[in-house]
Amino acid sequence: MDRSVIRILGVDPGLRNTGWGLIEAFGSRLSFLACGSIRTDAAASLAGRLASIHSALTALVDDNGPDEAAVEETFVNRDPQSTLKLGQARGVALAALALKDLPVSEYAANLIKKTVVGVGHAEKGQVAMMVKMLLPASDASAPDAADALAVAICHAQHRQARARGAR
Amino acid sequence: MDRSVIRILGVDPGLRNTGWGLIEAFGSRLSFLACGSIRTDAAASLAGRLASIHSALTALVDDNGPDEAAVEETFVNRDPQSTLKLGQARGVALAALALKDLPVSEYAANLIKKTVVGVGHAEKGQVAMMVKMLLPASDASAPDAADALAVAICHAQHRQARARGAR
């Protein structure tokens, strides 16, 4: 079992709000470090908004030095314009993290909910509540910051199984 | 009328192949500079592939110093997984260009075809043929490089009208 402290950055990408959450995992013990939301200016150009997501994530990595990153997989079964917007923000997030040489894992929304709440069809409010229970020090006021912490928690639970599987 | 020489980078984003084409416009006179295709390794991770598109476009801008960029708008009326993949690549392209402080214009596929071929429902082969006629020196062997040159030509035709409209 891995007994070193791993710092994990979870990201929940979106064009308007990109949630992020930073935790440390020491074996199965988790601790909260920080979380927040990158908001883009709806009046700015699309390219400008995407560039600001890239810059903000790059600065977050530079300032906090995570070891690994985890990003929520995009759910595509809805209006194609929403899928496209989310895809654009998500692409920028994945590229920005990989350009910082972070290993980036992706998790489906259902697996994140199942890991954090126990059921795959949990409501958003249940996820936020469980995040607060698992990380009592967390202060995620924005829902996308809580979602980002949930992605980070999911990665903390699954990363060792993934690493074993990859060997 | 704008009588200065403007260097335009056209980009046709895609996860597998991102076409690019560089032209110069002097009034209504166009000349070909270069074109090509950024290919990503299908065996690499999604985040790694997106990062390589970002790096390649950044290097292209650094090496060639375009004044303006133009990107094809993504067509969403198809399989949502394709929309998502294209959206991710497109988001990375837009962000990479904007991070280089380039003004980025977006054009719908129909307008590009209408501008280059004369009709909005032109076939891919017709676009490539007209690109070759308008830019005789061009050597776009890859279809996505020809499409990227078509985006650049479209921007050369429409940029002054857009600039006037913006004032």
Side-chain angles (χ1 to χ4, degrees):
Chain A
M1 190 176 179
D2 188 348
R3 298 303 300 169
S4 55
V5 175
I6 301 291
R7 190 173 281 206
I8 300 167
L9 176 64
V11 178
D12 179 28
L15 181 58
R16 199 175 308 178
N17 295 307
T18 290
W20 62 273
L22 200 69
I23 65 171
E24 273 183 352
F26 177 67
S28 61
R29 242 182 70 191
L30 304 179
S31 57
F32 169 79
L33 292 181
C35 69
S37 183
I38 300 162
R39 288 170 210 283
T40 63
D41 178 3
S45 70
L46 173 63
R49 295 173 80 179
L50 294 168
S52 72
I53 294 171
H54 179 103
S55 300
L57 279 175
T58 302
L60 264 173
V61 174
D62 287 341
D63 292 349
N64 296 290
D67 301 299
E68 296 175 2
V71 179
E72 186 165 335
E73 269 179 16
T74 299
F75 181 59
V76 297
N77 271 338
R78 48 171 135 173
D79 147 50
Q81 282 294 347
S82 302
T83 302
L84 179 64
K85 273 188 197 168
L86 196 53
Q88 290 175 154
R90 189 167 190 276
V92 169
L94 291 170
L97 298 168
L99 283 164
K100 284 283 156 190
D101 289 328
L102 286 179
V104 184
S105 299
E106 302 177 60
Y107 295 95
N110 277 6
L111 178 61
I112 297 167
K113 288 176 179 173
K114 192 154 188 179
T115 305
V116 175
V117 182
V119 288
H121 51 81
E123 302 281 325
K124 240 177 149 57
Q126 287 178 279
V127 173
M129 202 185 68
M130 283 304 298
V131 165
K132 184 71 189 162
M133 285 187 65
L134 292 165
L135 302 170
S138 71
D139 56 356
S141 52
D144 42 304
D147 285 349
L149 287 169
V151 185
I153 293 168
C154 179
H155 180 62
Q157 303 292 335
H158 292 276
R159 58 183 294 280
Q160 296 188 14
R162 287 205 168 187
R164 280 196 298 274
R167 267 174 213 138
Chain B
M1 190 175 178
D2 190 349
R3 299 303 300 169
S4 55
V5 175
I6 300 291
R7 191 172 282 206
I8 300 167
L9 176 64
V11 178
D12 179 28
L15 181 58
R16 198 176 307 179
N17 296 306
T18 290
W20 62 274
L22 199 69
I23 66 171
E24 273 183 352
F26 178 68
S28 62
R29 243 181 70 193
L30 304 180
S31 58
F32 169 80
L33 292 181
C35 69
S37 183
I38 300 162
R39 289 170 210 283
T40 63
D41 178 3
S45 70
L46 173 61
R49 296 173 80 180
L50 294 168
S52 73
I53 294 171
H54 179 102
S55 299
L57 279 176
T58 301
L60 263 173
V61 174
D62 287 342
D63 293 348
N64 295 290
D67 301 299
E68 296 175 3
V71 179
E72 186 165 335
E73 269 179 17
T74 300
F75 181 59
V76 297
N77 271 339
R78 47 171 133 173
D79 146 50
Q81 282 294 346
S82 302
T83 301
L84 180 63
K85 273 187 198 169
L86 195 53
Q88 291 175 154
R90 188 167 191 276
V92 169
L94 290 171
L97 298 168
L99 283 164
K100 284 285 157 191
D101 289 328
L102 286 179
V104 183
S105 299
E106 302 177 60
Y107 295 95
N110 278 5
L111 178 63
I112 297 167
K113 288 176 179 172
K114 192 153 186 179
T115 304
V116 175
V117 181
V119 288
H121 51 82
E123 301 281 325
K124 242 176 146 61
Q126 287 178 277
V127 173
M129 202 184 70
M130 281 306 297
V131 165
K132 185 70 190 162
M133 284 186 65
L134 292 166
L135 302 170
S138 72
D139 55 357
S141 52
D144 41 304
D147 284 349
L149 287 169
V151 185
I153 294 168
C154 179
H155 180 61
Q157 303 293 332
H158 291 275
R159 59 183 293 279
Q160 295 188 15
R162 286 204 169 191
R164 278 196 298 275
R167 272 175 209 135

